[in-house]
C-alpha cells in the first residue's frame, strides 16, 4: 500500500532524516520517502497506516502530519 501525506515544519535535510527514521520505526512500513521541497512523505507499507499513527510517530518532534 502507498500513502502520501503532507509534513508541516520541515526546513532542512536534517528534518527529512528525522521524519524518515521515525516513520520507518512503525511496524509494516517498508519505506518512507520524504521530500523537503514538496513537504510530503510517501509511505510504502504492508497495511493501511493511519494518519494518526504517523502523527504519533512524530509526537516527540516539532513536525505535524496534515
Amino acid at each position: 500500500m502507498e500513502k502520501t501525506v503532507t509534513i508541516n515544519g520541515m526546513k532542512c535535510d536534517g528534518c527529512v532524516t528525522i521524519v524518515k527514521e521515525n516513520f520507518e520505526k512503525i511496524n509494516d512500513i517498508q519505506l518512507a520517502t520524504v521530500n523537503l521541497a514538496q513537504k510530503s512523505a510517501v509511505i510504502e507499507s504492508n497495511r493501511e497506516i493511519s494518519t494518526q499513527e504517523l502523527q504519533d510517530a512524530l509526537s516527540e518532534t516539532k513536525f505535524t502530519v496534515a
Side-chain angles (χ1 to χ4, degrees):
M1 303 188 104
E2 187 173 287
K3 179 176 187 144
T4 303
V5 294
T6 300
I7 308 295
N8 296 317
M10 294 191 304
K11 296 183 172 144
C12 66
D13 288 336
C15 298
V16 168
T17 300
I18 291 168
V19 171
K20 177 178 174 60
E21 288 176 351
N22 278 279
F23 282 172
E24 289 181 344
K25 290 178 185 175
I26 298 173
N27 287 338
D28 297 321
I29 289 183
Q30 282 75 50
L31 181 65
T33 304
V34 183
N35 185 302
L36 178 61
Q38 294 179 355
K39 299 187 185 312
S40 66
V42 177
I43 308 301
E44 294 180 31
S45 62
N46 289 334
R47 63 177 173 88
E48 181 66 30
I49 305 293
S50 71
T51 301
Q52 184 61 51
E53 195 171 358
L54 294 171
Q55 182 59 59
D56 290 347
L58 298 178
S59 66
E60 295 185 21
T61 71
K62 62 183 178 180
F63 311 113
T64 59
V65 178

